[in-house]
């Protein structure tokens, strides 16, 4: 692919979606760069497994490219990709729960964090320990609770967006998030 003649950082997601819908693969590559890390965090916090999470992100992006022409509201691309990712990750988590296997490796989460160097190694170490503890707590939750909590607390979606992403009612999403928060708070008391 030839480098784009436009400055990707200056373009909104909406503009990139419209360009990609018009057949510009470079525009979709920019969307991938913008959303890949966030999608990985969503998948990882639902699944707790690095390899499965990477696979879910790849499947999400491939599905996104194939179905991009169906996206009617280009401004909704962030939520749309999160929905695809969450549904796929939740399906895998449910299947895994039925088989009662645990491939959780919280130390993998740090590999997909912000690549900027940290000035304070002690702070970075504490954050890594907190993330490992959080990943362990999330691994003990029902996949539906974990998915709702992740979309709300990590991805910052509204209750309505969480409900739409998981195809549940808003009150169901609120209830699941409340139960998940209680679970997280109970298990993360030492980090306060």
């Amino acid at each position: 692919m030839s480098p784009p003649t436009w400055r990707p950082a200056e373009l909104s997601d909406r503009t990139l979606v419209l360009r990609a819908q018009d057949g510009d693969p470079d525009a979709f590559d920019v969307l991938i760069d913008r959303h890949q890390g966030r999608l990985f965090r969503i998948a990882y916090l639902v699944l707790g497994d690095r390899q499965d999470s990477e696979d879910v992100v790849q499947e999400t992006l491939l599905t996104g490219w194939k179905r991009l022409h169906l996206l009617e509201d280009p401004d909704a691309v962030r939520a749309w990709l999160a929905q695809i990712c969450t549904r796929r990750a939740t399906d895998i988590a449910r299947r895994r729960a039925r088989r009662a296997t645990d491939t959780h490796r919280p130390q993998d989460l740090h590999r997909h964090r912000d690549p900027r160097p940290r000035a304070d190694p002690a702070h970075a170490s504490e954050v890594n320990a907190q993330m490992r503890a959080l990943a362990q707590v999330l691994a003990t939750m029902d996949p539906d609770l974990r998915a709702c909590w992740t979309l709300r607390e990590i991805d910052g979606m509204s209750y309505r967006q969480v409900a739409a992403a998981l195809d549940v009612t808003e009150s169901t999403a609120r209830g699941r998030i409340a139960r998940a928060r209680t679970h997280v708070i109970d298990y993360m008391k030492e980090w306060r």
Side-chain angles (χ1 to χ4, degrees):
M1 289 182 209
S2 63
T5 57
W6 36 268
R7 303 184 90 169
E10 296 174 1
L11 298 178
S12 67
D13 279 358
R14 176 184 181 77
T15 302
L16 291 168
V17 167
L18 292 171
R19 285 178 180 252
Q21 285 176 331
D22 286 340
D24 184 351
D26 292 329
F28 194 75
D29 286 345
V30 174
L31 286 170
I32 289 172
D33 290 342
R34 283 188 187 171
H35 296 284
Q36 186 169 298
R38 182 179 59 85
L39 295 172
F40 177 83
R41 285 187 295 278
I42 291 169
Y44 186 83
L45 288 172
V46 171
L47 294 169
D49 180 81
R50 181 175 184 262
Q51 185 63 47
D52 286 347
S53 299
E54 288 174 351
D55 291 346
V56 165
V57 170
Q58 289 300 319
E59 290 173 25
T60 298
L61 295 171
L62 183 60
T63 300
W65 176 248
K66 287 179 179 178
R67 295 184 181 167
L68 192 63
H69 66 284
L70 299 173
L71 181 62
E72 293 178 14
D73 180 7
D75 289 322
V77 69
R78 181 178 186 270
W80 181 67
L81 289 171
Q83 177 184 41
I84 295 168
C85 181
T86 304
R87 285 183 177 173
R88 180 68 184 130
T90 302
D91 288 346
I92 292 170
R94 285 180 186 147
R95 198 172 321 121
R96 187 185 297 156
R98 283 192 297 265
R99 285 186 267 169
T101 60
D102 183 13
T103 59
H104 183 66
R105 292 178 31 157
Q107 66 271 20
D108 290 335
L109 185 58
H110 72 89
R111 295 181 187 172
H112 286 273
R113 283 192 333 222
D114 188 350
R116 293 175 289 188
R118 299 278 185 236
D120 182 6
H123 176 73
S125 178
E126 183 177 345
V127 169
N128 286 339
Q130 288 173 339
M131 290 304 295
R132 284 191 300 275
L134 177 60
Q136 289 171 342
V137 170
L138 293 176
T140 65
M141 274 190 218
D142 176 85
D144 293 324
L145 297 180
R146 193 166 51 225
C148 283
W149 185 89
T150 300
L151 290 176
R152 175 71 179 162
E153 301 299 332
I154 302 298
D155 201 39
M157 288 186 171
S158 69
Y159 291 108
R160 180 174 290 147
Q161 290 170 323
V162 171
L166 298 175
D167 200 25
V168 297
T169 65
E170 192 171 335
S171 62
T172 298
R174 283 179 182 274
R176 287 179 181 174
I177 292 166
R179 287 192 307 277
R181 278 184 185 146
T182 300
H183 186 79
V184 170
I185 289 168
D186 287 347
Y187 285 91
M188 296 295 288
K189 285 179 184 174
E190 72 181 67
W191 294 102
R192 287 190 205 175

